[in-house]
Amino acid sequence: QVQLVESGGGLVQPGGSLRLSCAASGSILKINIMGWHRQAPGKERELVAAITSGGLTNYGDSVKGRFTISRDNAKNTVYLQMNSLKAEDTAVYYCNLNYSLGRDHDYWGQGTQVTVSS
């Protein structure tokens, strides 16, 4: 069984920064994609950023240039550095791990709240 444990959410003022972490444990294929999605009240869940085990990255348009995703493969951990935060970044942020082995394996964390407010 795979578990994803997120940390680092909280309250921050507009223009501030936060760093999210997500540690994966369990039986995990080394070749995988880890990422962050977010969901604001009344809105659909959307991709924030994703990174492959080889280091290729993909970002949602609204966070490009402000957020940076990285990972430590030895620790099965993914990070999201969020800078220049805006009120519209307020959401629950979910960590995701995905890999294909015979079938698609898709795992989610429990979510961590990020609130950007003065």
Side-chain angles (χ1 to χ4, degrees):
Q1 188 70 8
V2 174
Q3 286 191 320
L4 302 176
V5 179
E6 300 131 332
S7 60
L11 173 65
V12 64
Q13 293 186 341
S17 298
L18 278 177
R19 188 191 194 209
L20 305 182
S21 300
C22 172
S25 61
S27 181
I28 303 167
L29 189 70
K30 292 297 184 183
I31 301 174
N32 59 61
I33 300 172
M34 296 188 75
W36 294 92
H37 291 67
R38 68 186 182 187
Q39 188 166 20
K43 295 187 177 181
E44 293 186 355
R45 190 173 296 191
E46 63 174 356
L47 170 71
V48 177
I51 184 169
T52 69
S53 48
L56 296 177
T57 59
N58 183 37
Y59 292 92
D61 288 341
S62 61
V63 306
K64 287 179 180 177
R66 299 187 298 123
F67 292 10
T68 302
I69 191 168
S70 60
R71 63 187 289 167
D72 185 332
N73 287 336
K75 297 180 179 179
N76 288 324
T77 299
V78 64
Y79 307 95
L80 184 69
Q81 179 65 43
M82 303 185 293
N83 298 329
S84 302
L85 283 160
K86 305 175 182 179
E88 50 263 43
D89 294 318
T90 296
V92 178
Y93 284 68
Y94 296 92
C95 178
N96 172 253
L97 183 149
N98 180 274
Y99 64 87
S100 294
L101 183 63
R103 63 173 178 86
D104 193 50
H105 296 257
D106 201 42
Y107 302 97
W108 294 88
Q110 79 284 358
T112 185
Q113 177 71 45
V114 171
T115 302
V116 185
S117 175
S118 55

